[in-house]
Amino acid sequence: MKIIFLGAPGAGKGTQAEILSERLGIPTISTGAIIREAIRTGTEMGKAAKKYTEAGELVPDTVVIGIIRERLAQPDCEKGFILDGFPRTVPQAEALDSMGVVPDLVISLEVSDAAIVERMSGRRVCEKCGASYHVKYKPSGKGEICEKCGAALTVRRDDAPEVVQSRLAVYHETTEPLKEFYARKGLLRTVEGQEKLEDTTARTLAVLEG
Ligand code: ADP
Ligand code: ZN
């Protein structure tokens, strides 16, 4: 099973992808998480990517395509995978095509810009293991501490309000055309994001079973 999640930044793709990943026993591949990890550990790729992510801009296609090519070659991807945050541009989707990767389903998670701005302000991420939380919708059982590893939770630099606005603009201009790209292939399904994440999961599963 190969699934692609599309959706605005903060729409909740990552959270839904993690839940599906556990249910289906296939890995989630999040380019955002891979890039943040590279920035945290200070690799060459991380150093190159940092200025883009902090400005709310996309990391160049060649960089992310390279990340995905390497990751999909790992043995755990043989049974399938969920892509969260890739592709994000038409050239990235074309690169996936030319790697011979044909998704079974592309799920677009729809959430209004206003709801996204509200959600981003409450988002927290573990600085050690990368787990994500939300103060209101998905709180850690340990408050401002990660319930998985015990490290401190922080606000992502790119979740600052000004940066969120530019990420939304980039989404509408550059990523949203992918809906049309996959609709033409007959692969696009739409899920309306719900206030409660369990409700969104139920709708996502219904689409998978549908
Ligand atoms: P969100 O979906 O909330 O925007 P992500 O964790 O998916 O966050 O991505 C964080 C940042 O990493 C993006 O703003 C962008 O700079 C970079 N990034 C992630 N995936 C891609 C991609 N496929 N192409 C280009 N840049 C990416
Ligand atoms: Zn953690």
Side-chain angles (χ1 to χ4, degrees), residues 39 48 55-57 65 86 96 103 116 129 142-143 196 203 209:
I39 294 174
E57 290 165 11
I65 291 167
F86 184 96
L96 206 54
I116 282 170
C129 77
K142 296 181 180 166
K196 284 201 187 138
R203 289 179 182 226
E209 281 148 20

Side-chain angles (χ1 to χ4, degrees), residues 30-44:
S30 159
T31 42
I34 294 171
I35 292 167
R36 275 190 293 284
E37 173 68 16
I39 294 174
R40 195 159 51 215
T41 56
T43 66
E44 285 309 309

Side-chain angles (χ1 to χ4, degrees), residues 125-131 133 145-153:
V125 63
C126 172
E127 51 187 26
K128 191 158 162 228
C129 77
Y133 299 92
I145 302 274
C146 177
E147 61 185 22
K148 292 188 183 145
C149 80
L153 300 184

Side-chain angles (χ1 to χ4, degrees), residues 15-179:
T15 304
Q16 295 304 323
E18 272 175 40
I19 296 170
L20 281 191
S21 165
E22 266 177 42
R23 285 213 175 209
L24 303 174
I26 51 177
T28 289
I29 299 166
S30 159
T31 42
I34 294 171
I35 292 167
R36 275 190 293 284
E37 173 68 16
I39 294 174
R40 195 159 51 215
T41 56
T43 66
E44 285 309 309
M45 186 272 278
K47 283 182 209 154
K50 195 168 189 232
K51 65 171 191 286
Y52 299 102
T53 61
E54 287 187 353
E57 290 165 11
L58 294 183
V59 172
D61 285 339
T62 49
V63 176
V64 273
I65 291 167
I67 293 173
I68 284 293
R69 194 186 298 279
E70 247 177 56
R71 184 64 188 84
L72 294 183
Q74 301 299 309
D76 65 331
C77 292
E78 269 165 25
K79 278 192 295 177
F81 46 81
I82 301 170
L83 293 179
D84 160 28
F86 184 96
R88 243 174 162 102
T89 66
V90 171
Q92 290 178 19
E94 289 168 346
L96 206 54
D97 275 351
S98 64
M99 287 176 218
V101 175
V102 182
D104 295 286
L105 218 54
V106 177
I107 300 174
S108 175
L109 196 50
E110 304 284 333
V111 177
S112 72
D113 285 10
I116 282 170
V117 169
E118 199 240 296
R119 282 187 193 185
M120 298 285 225
S121 62
R123 191 148 80 162
R124 299 290 182 272
V125 63
C126 172
E127 51 187 26
K128 191 158 162 228
C129 77
S132 66
Y133 299 92
H134 191 284
V135 291
K136 184 164 155 202
Y137 303 112
K138 193 191 172 196
S140 163
K142 296 181 180 166
E144 289 291 307
I145 302 274
C146 177
E147 61 185 22
K148 292 188 183 145
C149 80
L153 300 184
T154 53
V155 175
R156 271 167 49 177
R157 292 272 274 279
D158 57 349
D159 279 348
E162 335 67 85
V163 183
V164 169
Q165 290 302 342
S166 41
R167 287 163 70 201
L168 282 171
V170 169
Y171 169 72
H172 291 303
E173 203 176 301
T174 312
T175 307
E176 221 168 9
L178 288 177
K179 289 201 259 178

